[in-house]
Amino acid sequence: CKRVIVIHHGRLLYDGDLASLADRIAPFKLVRLDLERSEDAPRLDQFGAVTARDGAKVTLKVDRAQTAATVSRLLSELAIVDLTVEDPPIEEVIDQVFQGAEP
């Protein structure tokens, strides 16, 4: 949709496009990694906030502005089988709005 309006308890919290809402509420990207060696997983704290870890599969929360530089470092410093970069799910962004985070 071109325009999103978020109203909570009769109060207008946001009126604008969806991408801007996500940028303001969740100024981070999710970097999902499948490492070649699970013993590299503990080193990932230096690249971002580890939000999930299952052996060699790790999810990092990385500042949106630093995503490209962080991914570049990850690829040059670690043996990675697969890597994806995603925006946080919109459901989580909207949930943060209703949890009291100001857009």
Side-chain angles (χ1 to χ4, degrees):
C1 60
K2 294 179 183 179
R3 182 176 177 198
V4 175
I5 296 175
V6 179
I7 299 171
H8 184 56
H9 294 292
R11 185 171 150 239
L12 178 65
L13 296 180
Y14 182 78
D15 182 354
D17 65 275
L18 188 57
S20 294
L21 174 63
D23 288 347
R24 293 172 72 182
I25 297 298
F28 61 88
K29 295 268 191 179
L30 297 175
V31 179
R32 299 185 195 281
L33 304 164
D34 190 357
L35 300 168
E36 192 171 293
R37 298 182 310 264
S38 61
E39 57 268 14
D40 284 339
R43 294 184 51 204
L44 293 172
D45 291 335
Q46 64 183 309
F47 296 96
V50 176
T51 61
R53 184 178 296 165
D54 182 16
K57 295 184 184 291
V58 180
T59 301
L60 296 174
K61 185 190 291 188
V62 177
D63 181 80
R64 189 177 294 273
Q66 298 300 316
T67 303
T70 300
V71 167
S72 179
R73 278 187 56 217
L74 285 163
L75 291 170
S76 69
E77 296 179 24
L78 299 172
I80 296 174
V81 175
D82 192 22
L83 181 145
T84 59
V85 178
E86 306 169 358
D87 284 314
I90 193 60
E91 302 84 37
E92 289 179 19
V93 173
I94 297 297
D95 188 48
Q96 286 181 354
V97 170
F98 289 120
Q99 297 278 334
E102 285 295 321

